[in-house]
Amino acid sequence: MRLFALIYNTFVWGLLTAIIAFNNQWLEMRINIGYIIPVIMFILITAVLIYKKPVIMTVRFTLLNLMSCFLLVYFIIGSKRLTVVPAAIIREAINKTDITFPAINMFLILCLGLGLIVIWLWKPKSSQ
Amino acid sequence: MKKVLSLVLTLVVIMALVTGCGSKSNTQSTETNKEFKLGELSDTKTMVVNKDKKEIQMLAQVNGKYLTEDTRHGVVFKEGTNGEKSVLRGMANQNDFYNALLEISAKPGNNISLDDMKLAAESVEGSKLNVFVTWNGLGKEIPFSDILKSNEKRPMDIRFGGNIEAATSLKTGCILCLDSCAVGITSDAAFKANELTLKKQVKITGNPDVLPPDGTKVAVIFRLAQ
């Protein structure tokens, strides 16, 4: 379960980094910004796994992380672009450009919500 | 108990994933069975050349991302490296489009080099083209400039830049660039080479008040100006 919480939180950070990078037009025009998400996830998960002390991402930490990242994204891109930019990044990353933005947004909300419930139910501890 | 609940939730997520992908596949297969048509264009005939009218029609698709984001790409072949960076995803290859322009007797300018793209000093030359857009239900053709929104309006001056060598080697897929370009087959001479990126004064997006929703297929009509 520690790994699930780690994957969840690093995905949120990966998406946040991708959204920040998206605002750099030079970068956005040259690379598939969506690839930033798995790169960030890989780096952070590897760093946590090789760190000697166990890193526990509790439900409180995860909730605070999700909320602060959401607020940060809201202030960076605004409400109008919020429904387009994250979905466009994910759509381009998975190379499924025919999926609509509302479908991706709904799926993202569902996954983030259910993931949070799973972490809340399991309550990650150092022993797990 | 918690483990069971977690397993159930995980299964729900997996089911949602499978259902989501499955419904997409069903939609796709239904769409595949019923071929899309727009005038003479269709999913299997993505470009039509009319030598008498000196006109090329190309099937394209609205990219909703650029209804809020700015870009310097108007139309790019969907499989090009810039295929997801334009207001419209072109369904036809840039090399075929270049040959089609030669077929209607358009003359390439070939006057912009890749070095010029660092200076924003030169304007693209070549035969002038009038570009229009239409889609099912619109009932008319509208100028390409109408589907764009800009903080500085300049009359569009689309030219056949040529650039086939750069287009072939770089494989960007660029068909219509919104400023003068060393790679795009056609580009807008109203803006100097790479001006939109270098000067960052003018921001161009798709016009959400005019364009149909994300994913809608449209026809882009290139006519050689007399």
Side-chain angles (χ1 to χ4, degrees):
Chain A
M1 189 39 57
R2 263 180 59 201
L3 188 63
F4 181 82
L6 186 59
I7 290 170
Y8 184 97
N9 283 291
T10 52
F11 171 77
V12 172
W13 292 326
L15 188 57
L16 173 70
T17 313
I19 290 167
I20 292 167
F22 188 92
N23 282 282
N24 182 319
Q25 202 201 28
W26 186 89
L27 201 61
E28 201 275 313
M29 283 291 146
R30 275 157 187 82
I31 64 161
N32 184 336
I33 293 285
Y35 291 161
I36 289 176
I37 302 172
V39 169
I40 292 289
M41 286 177 76
F42 177 77
I43 293 168
L44 293 175
I45 289 171
T46 310
V48 168
L49 291 179
I50 60 171
Y51 188 60
K52 283 176 186 170
K53 291 178 184 173
V55 177
I56 311 300
M57 292 178 177
T58 62
V59 66
R60 183 182 288 181
F61 173 85
T62 306
L63 186 63
L64 275 172
N65 179 40
L66 185 66
M67 282 167 64
S68 50
C69 286
F70 178 81
L71 282 173
L72 198 57
V73 167
Y74 184 85
F75 286 120
I76 293 169
I77 62 175
S79 58
K80 195 179 165 189
R81 294 170 70 208
L82 191 65
T83 56
V84 174
V85 174
I89 289 170
I90 291 170
R91 184 167 86 165
E92 197 178 341
I94 59 174
N95 200 22
K96 290 279 179 194
T97 52
D98 47 354
I99 305 177
T100 64
F101 293 142
I104 292 177
N105 285 330
M106 208 165 74
F107 186 72
L108 190 63
I109 292 165
L110 188 76
C111 286
L112 289 175
L114 288 175
L116 201 60
I117 294 169
V118 169
I119 296 168
W120 173 65
L121 287 170
W122 276 75
K123 290 189 175 47
K125 291 171 191 161
S126 57
S127 58
Q128 287 177 320
Chain B
M1 184 61 187
K2 281 177 184 173
K3 280 186 181 178
V4 174
L5 268 169
S6 300
L7 277 172
V8 169
L9 278 169
T10 311
L11 276 172
V12 169
V13 173
I14 293 165
M15 287 295 282
L17 263 169
V18 173
T19 315
C21 297
S23 65
K24 192 64 216 163
S25 315
N26 289 342
T27 317
Q28 278 175 334
S29 62
T30 313
E31 281 170 2
T32 311
N33 291 339
K34 192 182 173 186
E35 194 187 29
F36 175 83
K37 279 192 179 280
L38 174 54
E40 288 179 72
L41 297 168
S42 69
D43 287 329
T44 49
K45 198 175 178 186
T46 53
M47 193 165 70
V48 174
V49 185
N50 189 324
K51 284 184 196 172
D52 298 330
K53 287 186 183 173
K54 294 192 180 300
E55 171 190 291
I56 299 161
Q57 290 196 22
M58 185 190 290
L59 192 65
Q61 193 179 31
V62 176
N63 184 353
K65 181 164 83 168
Y66 294 106
L67 297 181
T68 58
E69 307 307 308
D70 58 296
T71 179
R72 63 177 293 269
H73 300 291
V75 185
V76 177
F77 176 45
K78 62 175 181 157
E79 285 169 25
T81 54
N82 282 339
E84 199 47 34
K85 310 292 183 193
S86 59
V87 178
L88 301 177
R89 277 181 216 108
M91 299 291 159
N93 185 295
Q94 72 279 7
N95 296 340
D96 295 340
F97 176 65
Y98 176 88
N99 292 327
L101 281 167
L102 293 180
E103 269 185 61
I104 62 166
S105 312
K107 300 278 182 289
N110 291 319
N111 67 310
I112 308 270
S113 68
L114 288 170
D115 288 336
D116 289 330
M117 296 295 277
K118 297 168 191 161
L119 306 170
E122 295 291 321
S123 287
V124 65
E125 293 169 7
S127 297
K128 184 176 171 64
L129 298 156
N130 295 320
V131 187
F132 300 88
V133 184
T134 189
W135 54 89
N136 283 334
L138 185 67
K140 61 178 179 180
E141 291 172 6
I142 57 169
F144 194 88
S145 57
D146 285 8
I147 68 159
L148 302 173
K149 204 169 151 180
S150 169
N151 58 347
E152 187 192 311
K153 277 280 176 192
R154 287 187 208 177
M156 266 194 139
D157 183 13
I158 305 293
R159 300 285 174 154
F160 177 25
N163 309 317
I164 192 63
E165 280 178 28
T168 309
S169 61
L170 295 172
K171 295 181 175 64
T172 58
C174 293
I175 286 165
L176 193 164
C177 299
L178 302 178
D179 54 8
S180 295
C181 187
V183 185
I185 305 296
T186 67
S187 50
D188 187 3
F191 292 94
K192 304 285 184 189
N194 206 17
E195 184 181 334
L196 294 174
T197 307
L198 291 178
K199 294 195 173 172
K200 295 187 173 87
Q201 289 166 342
V202 183
K203 294 207 178 292
I204 302 177
T205 67
N207 190 341
D209 299 328
V210 176
L211 272 170
D214 175 52
T216 307
K217 285 179 180 161
V218 301
V220 187
I221 303 150
F222 298 84
R223 279 195 196 107
L224 188 61
Q226 300 301 317

